[in-house]
PDB file of all heavy atoms in Angstrom:
ATOM      1  N   ASN A   1       0.834  -1.224   0.000  1.00 63.00           N
ATOM      2  CA  ASN A   1       0.000   0.000   0.000  1.00 63.00           C
ATOM      3  C   ASN A   1       0.861   1.262   0.000  1.00 63.00           C
ATOM      4  O   ASN A   1       0.586   2.226   0.713  1.00 63.00           O
ATOM      5  CB  ASN A   1      -0.945   0.015   1.202  1.00 63.00           C
ATOM      6  CG  ASN A   1      -1.937  -1.127   1.137  1.00 63.00           C
ATOM      7  OD1 ASN A   1      -2.387  -1.501   0.052  1.00 63.00           O
ATOM      8  ND2 ASN A   1      -2.268  -1.686   2.304  1.00 63.00           N
ATOM      9  N   GLU A   2       1.885   1.306  -0.737  1.00 52.00           N
ATOM     10  CA  GLU A   2       2.758   2.491  -0.832  1.00 52.00           C
ATOM     11  C   GLU A   2       2.341   3.314  -2.036  1.00 52.00           C
ATOM     12  O   GLU A   2       2.870   3.179  -3.143  1.00 52.00           O
ATOM     13  CB  GLU A   2       4.215   2.040  -0.960  1.00 52.00           C
ATOM     14  CG  GLU A   2       4.741   1.321   0.275  1.00 52.00           C
ATOM     15  CD  GLU A   2       6.195   0.952   0.100  1.00 52.00           C
ATOM     16  OE1 GLU A   2       6.724   1.206  -1.004  1.00 52.00           O
ATOM     17  OE2 GLU A   2       6.778   0.377   1.036  1.00 52.00           O
ATOM     18  N   PHE A   3       1.314   4.145  -1.819  1.00 51.00           N
ATOM     19  CA  PHE A   3       0.832   5.026  -2.896  1.00 51.00           C
ATOM     20  C   PHE A   3       1.470   6.397  -2.712  1.00 51.00           C
ATOM     21  O   PHE A   3       1.460   6.962  -1.615  1.00 51.00           O
ATOM     22  CB  PHE A   3      -0.688   5.152  -2.848  1.00 51.00           C
ATOM     23  CG  PHE A   3      -1.386   3.828  -3.040  1.00 51.00           C
ATOM     24  CD1 PHE A   3      -1.874   3.105  -1.967  1.00 51.00           C
ATOM     25  CD2 PHE A   3      -1.525   3.309  -4.329  1.00 51.00           C
ATOM     26  CE1 PHE A   3      -2.483   1.904  -2.150  1.00 51.00           C
ATOM     27  CE2 PHE A   3      -2.146   2.089  -4.486  1.00 51.00           C
ATOM     28  CZ  PHE A   3      -2.632   1.399  -3.416  1.00 51.00           C
ATOM     29  N   PRO A   4       2.023   7.038  -3.756  1.00 55.00           N
ATOM     30  CA  PRO A   4       2.665   8.385  -3.628  1.00 55.00           C
ATOM     31  C   PRO A   4       1.617   9.467  -3.365  1.00 55.00           C
ATOM     32  O   PRO A   4       0.496   9.421  -3.892  1.00 55.00           O
ATOM     33  CB  PRO A   4       3.349   8.549  -4.976  1.00 55.00           C
ATOM     34  CG  PRO A   4       2.585   7.678  -5.917  1.00 55.00           C
ATOM     35  CD  PRO A   4       2.119   6.529  -5.127  1.00 55.00           C
ATOM     36  N   LEU A   5       1.967  10.454  -2.465  1.00 52.00           N
ATOM     37  CA  LEU A   5       1.085  11.573  -2.118  1.00 52.00           C
ATOM     38  C   LEU A   5       1.380  12.755  -3.024  1.00 52.00           C
ATOM     39  O   LEU A   5       2.531  13.166  -3.167  1.00 52.00           O
ATOM     40  CB  LEU A   5       1.298  11.968  -0.649  1.00 52.00           C
ATOM     41  CG  LEU A   5       0.980  10.871   0.379  1.00 52.00           C
ATOM     42  CD1 LEU A   5       1.318  11.376   1.788  1.00 52.00           C
ATOM     43  CD2 LEU A   5      -0.463  10.468   0.293  1.00 52.00           C
ATOM     44  N   GLN A   6       0.342  13.350  -3.631  1.00 54.00           N
ATOM     45  CA  GLN A   6       0.491  14.501  -4.526  1.00 54.00           C
ATOM     46  C   GLN A   6      -0.116  15.736  -3.861  1.00 54.00           C
ATOM     47  O   GLN A   6      -1.192  15.686  -3.291  1.00 54.00           O
ATOM     48  CB  GLN A   6      -0.196  14.236  -5.856  1.00 54.00           C
ATOM     49  CG  GLN A   6       0.433  13.052  -6.613  1.00 54.00           C
ATOM     50  CD  GLN A   6      -0.274  12.810  -7.940  1.00 54.00           C
ATOM     51  OE1 GLN A   6      -1.257  13.488  -8.240  1.00 54.00           O
ATOM     52  NE2 GLN A   6       0.252  11.847  -8.706  1.00 54.00           N
ATOM     53  N   ALA A   7       0.572  16.867  -3.944  1.00 52.00           N
ATOM     54  CA  ALA A   7       0.101  18.148  -3.341  1.00 52.00           C
ATOM     55  C   ALA A   7      -1.013  18.740  -4.172  1.00 52.00           C
ATOM     56  O   ALA A   7      -0.998  18.671  -5.397  1.00 52.00           O
ATOM     57  CB  ALA A   7       1.251  19.154  -3.241  1.00 52.00           C
ATOM     58  N   CYS A   8      -1.990  19.322  -3.437  1.00 53.00           N
ATOM     59  CA  CYS A   8      -3.103  19.965  -4.142  1.00 53.00           C
ATOM     60  C   CYS A   8      -2.627  21.289  -4.719  1.00 53.00           C
ATOM     61  O   CYS A   8      -1.873  22.033  -4.093  1.00 53.00           O
ATOM     62  CB  CYS A   8      -4.264  20.229  -3.179  1.00 53.00           C
ATOM     63  SG  CYS A   8      -4.973  18.703  -2.588  1.00 53.00           S
ATOM     64  N   PRO A   9      -3.004  21.579  -5.892  1.00 56.00           N
ATOM     65  CA  PRO A   9      -2.559  22.870  -6.496  1.00 56.00           C
ATOM     66  C   PRO A   9      -3.171  24.066  -5.764  1.00 56.00           C
ATOM     67  O   PRO A   9      -4.312  24.015  -5.305  1.00 56.00           O
ATOM     68  CB  PRO A   9      -3.066  22.736  -7.928  1.00 56.00           C
ATOM     69  CG  PRO A   9      -4.198  21.769  -7.861  1.00 56.00           C
ATOM     70  CD  PRO A   9      -3.883  20.837  -6.769  1.00 56.00           C
ATOM     71  N   SER A  10      -2.412  25.124  -5.569  1.00 55.00           N
ATOM     72  CA  SER A  10      -2.876  26.368  -4.890  1.00 55.00           C
ATOM     73  C   SER A  10      -3.696  27.194  -5.861  1.00 55.00           C
ATOM     74  O   SER A  10      -3.555  27.091  -7.072  1.00 55.00           O
ATOM     75  CB  SER A  10      -1.667  27.163  -4.388  1.00 55.00           C
ATOM     76  OG  SER A  10      -0.862  27.538  -5.478  1.00 55.00           O
ATOM     77  N   PRO A  11      -4.553  28.078  -5.290  1.00 53.00           N
ATOM     78  CA  PRO A  11      -5.409  28.910  -6.178  1.00 53.00           C
ATOM     79  C   PRO A  11      -4.613  29.840  -7.030  1.00 53.00           C
ATOM     80  O   PRO A  11      -5.029  30.214  -8.118  1.00 53.00           O
ATOM     81  CB  PRO A  11      -6.307  29.662  -5.206  1.00 53.00           C
ATOM     82  CG  PRO A  11      -6.329  28.819  -3.982  1.00 53.00           C
ATOM     83  CD  PRO A  11      -4.988  28.212  -3.888  1.00 53.00           C
ATOM     84  N   SER A  12      -3.436  30.254  -6.499  1.00 54.00           N
ATOM     85  CA  SER A  12      -2.638  31.224  -7.253  1.00 54.00           C
ATOM     86  C   SER A  12      -1.810  30.577  -8.331  1.00 54.00           C
ATOM     87  O   SER A  12      -1.121  31.223  -9.098  1.00 54.00           O
ATOM     88  CB  SER A  12      -1.716  31.985  -6.308  1.00 54.00           C
ATOM     89  OG  SER A  12      -0.832  31.067  -5.668  1.00 54.00           O
ATOM     90  N   SER A  13      -1.861  29.264  -8.329  1.00 51.00           N
ATOM     91  CA  SER A  13      -1.035  28.555  -9.313  1.00 51.00           C
ATOM     92  C   SER A  13      -1.599  28.761 -10.697  1.00 51.00           C
ATOM     93  O   SER A  13      -2.809  28.789 -10.898  1.00 51.00           O
ATOM     94  CB  SER A  13      -0.984  27.065  -8.968  1.00 51.00           C
ATOM     95  OG  SER A  13      -0.302  26.380  -9.963  1.00 51.00           O
ATOM     96  N   GLN A  14      -0.726  29.036 -11.596  1.00 51.00           N
ATOM     97  CA  GLN A  14      -1.138  29.232 -12.980  1.00 51.00           C
ATOM     98  C   GLN A  14      -1.649  27.977 -13.633  1.00 51.00           C
ATOM     99  O   GLN A  14      -2.231  28.014 -14.699  1.00 51.00           O
ATOM    100  CB  GLN A  14       0.062  29.772 -13.796  1.00 51.00           C
ATOM    101  CG  GLN A  14       0.531  31.138 -13.316  1.00 51.00           C
ATOM    102  CD  GLN A  14       1.714  31.632 -14.132  1.00 51.00           C
ATOM    103  OE1 GLN A  14       2.169  30.912 -15.020  1.00 51.00           O
ATOM    104  NE2 GLN A  14       2.163  32.868 -13.856  1.00 51.00           N
ATOM    105  N   SER A  15      -1.397  26.892 -12.956  1.00 50.00           N
ATOM    106  CA  SER A  15      -1.850  25.636 -13.543  1.00 50.00           C
ATOM    107  C   SER A  15      -3.309  25.349 -13.287  1.00 50.00           C
ATOM    108  O   SER A  15      -3.826  24.351 -13.740  1.00 50.00           O
ATOM    109  CB  SER A  15      -1.008  24.460 -13.003  1.00 50.00           C
ATOM    110  OG  SER A  15      -1.185  24.354 -11.606  1.00 50.00           O
ATOM    111  N   LEU A  16      -4.015  26.217 -12.491  1.00 46.00           N
ATOM    112  CA  LEU A  16      -5.429  26.009 -12.248  1.00 46.00           C
ATOM    113  C   LEU A  16      -6.207  26.191 -13.522  1.00 46.00           C
ATOM    114  O   LEU A  16      -5.945  27.117 -14.289  1.00 46.00           O
ATOM    115  CB  LEU A  16      -5.949  26.980 -11.189  1.00 46.00           C
ATOM    116  CG  LEU A  16      -5.458  26.741  -9.756  1.00 46.00           C
ATOM    117  CD1 LEU A  16      -5.978  27.877  -8.857  1.00 46.00           C
ATOM    118  CD2 LEU A  16      -5.952  25.424  -9.257  1.00 46.00           C
ATOM    119  N   ARG A  17      -7.098  25.372 -13.688  1.00 49.00           N
ATOM    120  CA  ARG A  17      -7.958  25.481 -14.858  1.00 49.00           C
ATOM    121  C   ARG A  17      -9.188  26.294 -14.517  1.00 49.00           C
ATOM    122  O   ARG A  17      -9.401  26.709 -13.378  1.00 49.00           O
ATOM    123  CB  ARG A  17      -8.344  24.067 -15.333  1.00 49.00           C
ATOM    124  CG  ARG A  17      -7.108  23.267 -15.744  1.00 49.00           C
ATOM    125  CD  ARG A  17      -7.527  21.874 -16.194  1.00 49.00           C
ATOM    126  NE  ARG A  17      -6.327  21.087 -16.534  1.00 49.00           N
ATOM    127  CZ  ARG A  17      -6.370  19.837 -16.939  1.00 49.00           C
ATOM    128  NH1 ARG A  17      -7.556  19.219 -17.035  1.00 49.00           N
ATOM    129  NH2 ARG A  17      -5.242  19.197 -17.234  1.00 49.00           N
ATOM    130  N   SER A  18     -10.008  26.427 -15.477  1.00 48.00           N
ATOM    131  CA  SER A  18     -11.177  27.300 -15.307  1.00 48.00           C
ATOM    132  C   SER A  18     -12.127  26.754 -14.264  1.00 48.00           C
ATOM    133  O   SER A  18     -12.643  27.493 -13.429  1.00 48.00           O
ATOM    134  CB  SER A  18     -11.896  27.471 -16.647  1.00 48.00           C
ATOM    135  OG  SER A  18     -12.314  26.199 -17.106  1.00 48.00           O
ATOM    136  N   TYR A  19     -12.290  25.444 -14.261  1.00 47.00           N
ATOM    137  CA  TYR A  19     -13.245  24.880 -13.300  1.00 47.00           C
ATOM    138  C   TYR A  19     -12.691  24.933 -11.906  1.00 47.00           C
ATOM    139  O   TYR A  19     -13.420  24.963 -10.945  1.00 47.00           O
ATOM    140  CB  TYR A  19     -13.651  23.446 -13.679  1.00 47.00           C
ATOM    141  CG  TYR A  19     -12.523  22.472 -13.802  1.00 47.00           C
ATOM    142  CD1 TYR A  19     -12.022  21.844 -12.660  1.00 47.00           C
ATOM    143  CD2 TYR A  19     -11.969  22.178 -15.034  1.00 47.00           C
ATOM    144  CE1 TYR A  19     -10.997  20.940 -12.760  1.00 47.00           C
ATOM    145  CE2 TYR A  19     -10.948  21.276 -15.135  1.00 47.00           C
ATOM    146  CZ  TYR A  19     -10.451  20.651 -13.995  1.00 47.00           C
ATOM    147  OH  TYR A  19      -9.427  19.757 -14.102  1.00 47.00           O
ATOM    148  N   ASP A  20     -11.378  24.986 -11.721  1.00 46.00           N
ATOM    149  CA  ASP A  20     -10.796  25.140 -10.391  1.00 46.00           C
ATOM    150  C   ASP A  20     -11.068  26.529  -9.836  1.00 46.00           C
ATOM    151  O   ASP A  20     -11.374  26.699  -8.656  1.00 46.00           O
ATOM    152  CB  ASP A  20      -9.292  24.897 -10.445  1.00 46.00           C
ATOM    153  CG  ASP A  20      -8.967  23.430 -10.790  1.00 46.00           C
ATOM    154  OD1 ASP A  20      -9.801  22.550 -10.455  1.00 46.00           O
ATOM    155  OD2 ASP A  20      -7.898  23.162 -11.385  1.00 46.00           O
ATOM    156  N   LEU A  21     -11.010  27.609 -10.665  1.00 44.00           N
ATOM    157  CA  LEU A  21     -11.270  28.975 -10.229  1.00 44.00           C
ATOM    158  C   LEU A  21     -12.720  29.161  -9.838  1.00 44.00           C
ATOM    159  O   LEU A  21     -13.040  29.793  -8.831  1.00 44.00           O
ATOM    160  CB  LEU A  21     -10.892  29.963 -11.344  1.00 44.00           C
ATOM    161  CG  LEU A  21      -9.390  30.045 -11.667  1.00 44.00           C
ATOM    162  CD1 LEU A  21      -9.175  30.954 -12.871  1.00 44.00           C
ATOM    163  CD2 LEU A  21      -8.607  30.558 -10.463  1.00 44.00           C
ATOM    164  N   ILE A  22     -13.570  28.555 -10.589  1.00 46.00           N
ATOM    165  CA  ILE A  22     -14.989  28.676 -10.280  1.00 46.00           C
ATOM    166  C   ILE A  22     -15.285  28.044  -8.942  1.00 46.00           C
ATOM    167  O   ILE A  22     -16.049  28.546  -8.137  1.00 46.00           O
ATOM    168  CB  ILE A  22     -15.821  28.041 -11.395  1.00 46.00           C
ATOM    169  CG1 ILE A  22     -15.668  28.822 -12.690  1.00 46.00           C
ATOM    170  CG2 ILE A  22     -17.289  27.908 -11.001  1.00 46.00           C
ATOM    171  CD1 ILE A  22     -16.271  28.174 -13.888  1.00 46.00           C
ATOM    172  N   THR A  23     -14.651  26.954  -8.674  1.00 48.00           N
ATOM    173  CA  THR A  23     -14.870  26.273  -7.394  1.00 48.00           C
ATOM    174  C   THR A  23     -14.414  27.134  -6.250  1.00 48.00           C
ATOM    175  O   THR A  23     -15.068  27.241  -5.217  1.00 48.00           O
ATOM    176  CB  THR A  23     -14.109  24.949  -7.372  1.00 48.00           C
ATOM    177  OG1 THR A  23     -14.520  24.142  -8.479  1.00 48.00           O
ATOM    178  CG2 THR A  23     -14.350  24.184  -6.068  1.00 48.00           C
ATOM    179  N   VAL A  24     -13.336  27.891  -6.407  1.00 44.00           N
ATOM    180  CA  VAL A  24     -12.825  28.762  -5.357  1.00 44.00           C
ATOM    181  C   VAL A  24     -13.744  29.917  -5.119  1.00 44.00           C
ATOM    182  O   VAL A  24     -14.023  30.313  -3.994  1.00 44.00           O
ATOM    183  CB  VAL A  24     -11.404  29.242  -5.731  1.00 44.00           C
ATOM    184  CG1 VAL A  24     -10.920  30.280  -4.747  1.00 44.00           C
ATOM    185  CG2 VAL A  24     -10.452  28.049  -5.758  1.00 44.00           C
ATOM    186  N   ILE A  25     -14.301  30.508  -6.205  1.00 47.00           N
ATOM    187  CA  ILE A  25     -15.206  31.644  -6.082  1.00 47.00           C
ATOM    188  C   ILE A  25     -16.473  31.213  -5.370  1.00 47.00           C
ATOM    189  O   ILE A  25     -16.994  31.919  -4.500  1.00 47.00           O
ATOM    190  CB  ILE A  25     -15.511  32.224  -7.461  1.00 47.00           C
ATOM    191  CG1 ILE A  25     -14.235  32.833  -8.032  1.00 47.00           C
ATOM    192  CG2 ILE A  25     -16.642  33.260  -7.403  1.00 47.00           C
ATOM    193  CD1 ILE A  25     -14.381  33.267  -9.481  1.00 47.00           C
ATOM    194  N   GLU A  26     -17.022  30.129  -5.731  1.00 50.00           N
ATOM    195  CA  GLU A  26     -18.254  29.653  -5.093  1.00 50.00           C
ATOM    196  C   GLU A  26     -18.041  29.451  -3.613  1.00 50.00           C
ATOM    197  O   GLU A  26     -18.898  29.793  -2.794  1.00 50.00           O
ATOM    198  CB  GLU A  26     -18.706  28.355  -5.765  1.00 50.00           C
ATOM    199  CG  GLU A  26     -19.244  28.598  -7.166  1.00 50.00           C
ATOM    200  CD  GLU A  26     -19.669  27.304  -7.837  1.00 50.00           C
ATOM    201  OE1 GLU A  26     -19.401  26.219  -7.220  1.00 50.00           O
ATOM    202  OE2 GLU A  26     -20.239  27.303  -8.940  1.00 50.00           O
ATOM    203  N   ASN A  27     -16.913  28.967  -3.263  1.00 51.00           N
ATOM    204  CA  ASN A  27     -16.644  28.754  -1.851  1.00 51.00           C
ATOM    205  C   ASN A  27     -16.562  30.070  -1.117  1.00 51.00           C
ATOM    206  O   ASN A  27     -17.010  30.205   0.019  1.00 51.00           O
ATOM    207  CB  ASN A  27     -15.355  27.963  -1.682  1.00 51.00           C
ATOM    208  CG  ASN A  27     -15.507  26.515  -2.177  1.00 51.00           C
ATOM    209  OD1 ASN A  27     -16.628  26.007  -2.191  1.00 51.00           O
ATOM    210  ND2 ASN A  27     -14.399  25.906  -2.534  1.00 51.00           N
ATOM    211  N   SER A  28     -16.027  31.154  -1.755  1.00 52.00           N
ATOM    212  CA  SER A  28     -15.907  32.480  -1.112  1.00 52.00           C
ATOM    213  C   SER A  28     -17.275  33.080  -0.898  1.00 52.00           C
ATOM    214  O   SER A  28     -17.561  33.677   0.152  1.00 52.00           O
ATOM    215  CB  SER A  28     -15.041  33.400  -1.970  1.00 52.00           C
ATOM    216  OG  SER A  28     -13.755  32.850  -2.111  1.00 52.00           O
ATOM    217  N   ASN A  29     -18.196  33.000  -1.854  1.00 52.00           N
ATOM    218  CA  ASN A  29     -19.544  33.532  -1.720  1.00 52.00           C
ATOM    219  C   ASN A  29     -20.302  32.844  -0.596  1.00 52.00           C
ATOM    220  O   ASN A  29     -21.054  33.478   0.163  1.00 52.00           O
ATOM    221  CB  ASN A  29     -20.318  33.357  -3.027  1.00 52.00           C
ATOM    222  CG  ASN A  29     -19.724  34.258  -4.151  1.00 52.00           C
ATOM    223  OD1 ASN A  29     -19.116  35.309  -3.867  1.00 52.00           O
ATOM    224  ND2 ASN A  29     -19.923  33.838  -5.398  1.00 52.00           N
ATOM    225  N   GLU A  30     -20.132  31.566  -0.457  1.00 56.00           N
ATOM    226  CA  GLU A  30     -20.821  30.842   0.613  1.00 56.00           C
ATOM    227  C   GLU A  30     -20.353  31.301   1.965  1.00 56.00           C
ATOM    228  O   GLU A  30     -21.143  31.447   2.907  1.00 56.00           O
ATOM    229  CB  GLU A  30     -20.579  29.330   0.448  1.00 56.00           C
ATOM    230  CG  GLU A  30     -21.309  28.752  -0.752  1.00 56.00           C
ATOM    231  CD  GLU A  30     -21.022  27.276  -0.905  1.00 56.00           C
ATOM    232  OE1 GLU A  30     -20.220  26.742  -0.086  1.00 56.00           O
ATOM    233  OE2 GLU A  30     -21.575  26.622  -1.830  1.00 56.00           O
ATOM    234  N   GLU A  31     -19.058  31.587   2.102  1.00 56.00           N
ATOM    235  CA  GLU A  31     -18.548  32.053   3.393  1.00 56.00           C
ATOM    236  C   GLU A  31     -19.094  33.425   3.718  1.00 56.00           C
ATOM    237  O   GLU A  31     -19.415  33.726   4.894  1.00 56.00           O
ATOM    238  CB  GLU A  31     -17.013  32.083   3.337  1.00 56.00           C
ATOM    239  CG  GLU A  31     -16.403  30.700   3.291  1.00 56.00           C
ATOM    240  CD  GLU A  31     -14.878  30.769   3.211  1.00 56.00           C
ATOM    241  OE1 GLU A  31     -14.376  31.892   3.126  1.00 56.00           O
ATOM    242  OE2 GLU A  31     -14.238  29.680   3.191  1.00 56.00           O
ATOM    243  N   GLN A  32     -19.214  34.339   2.727  1.00 54.00           N
ATOM    244  CA  GLN A  32     -19.755  35.668   2.988  1.00 54.00           C
ATOM    245  C   GLN A  32     -21.188  35.589   3.427  1.00 54.00           C
ATOM    246  O   GLN A  32     -21.639  36.328   4.321  1.00 54.00           O
ATOM    247  CB  GLN A  32     -19.631  36.523   1.720  1.00 54.00           C
ATOM    248  CG  GLN A  32     -18.187  36.904   1.417  1.00 54.00           C
ATOM    249  CD  GLN A  32     -18.038  37.709   0.118  1.00 54.00           C
ATOM    250  OE1 GLN A  32     -19.059  38.036  -0.546  1.00 54.00           O
ATOM    251  NE2 GLN A  32     -16.793  38.081  -0.227  1.00 54.00           N
ATOM    252  N   GLU A  33     -22.013  34.713   2.816  1.00 54.00           N
ATOM    253  CA  GLU A  33     -23.406  34.575   3.208  1.00 54.00           C
ATOM    254  C   GLU A  33     -23.525  34.096   4.620  1.00 54.00           C
ATOM    255  O   GLU A  33     -24.398  34.539   5.392  1.00 54.00           O
ATOM    256  CB  GLU A  33     -24.122  33.599   2.281  1.00 54.00           C
ATOM    257  CG  GLU A  33     -24.313  34.192   0.872  1.00 54.00           C
ATOM    258  CD  GLU A  33     -24.982  33.169  -0.065  1.00 54.00           C
ATOM    259  OE1 GLU A  33     -25.195  32.034   0.409  1.00 54.00           O
ATOM    260  OE2 GLU A  33     -25.218  33.505  -1.225  1.00 54.00           O
TER     261      GLU A  33
END
């Protein structure tokens, strides 16, 4: 069971795709509400 651990990409990372940014925005609106 030696599976390699991969780091989650940060929001500021240029490698985020469009659906990753949308997910971050939705999470921010929910916190404000």
Side-chain angles (χ1 to χ4, degrees):
N1 296 324
E2 295 182 356
F3 299 100
L5 299 177
Q6 297 180 357
C8 294
S10 62
S12 61
S13 175
Q14 297 180 358
S15 62
L16 290 175
R17 298 179 182 179
S18 60
Y19 57 83
D20 293 332
L21 293 175
I22 294 171
T23 303
V24 173
I25 293 172
E26 289 179 353
N27 291 335
S28 300
N29 292 334
E30 289 179 358
E31 290 179 356
Q32 289 178 3
E33 290 178 356

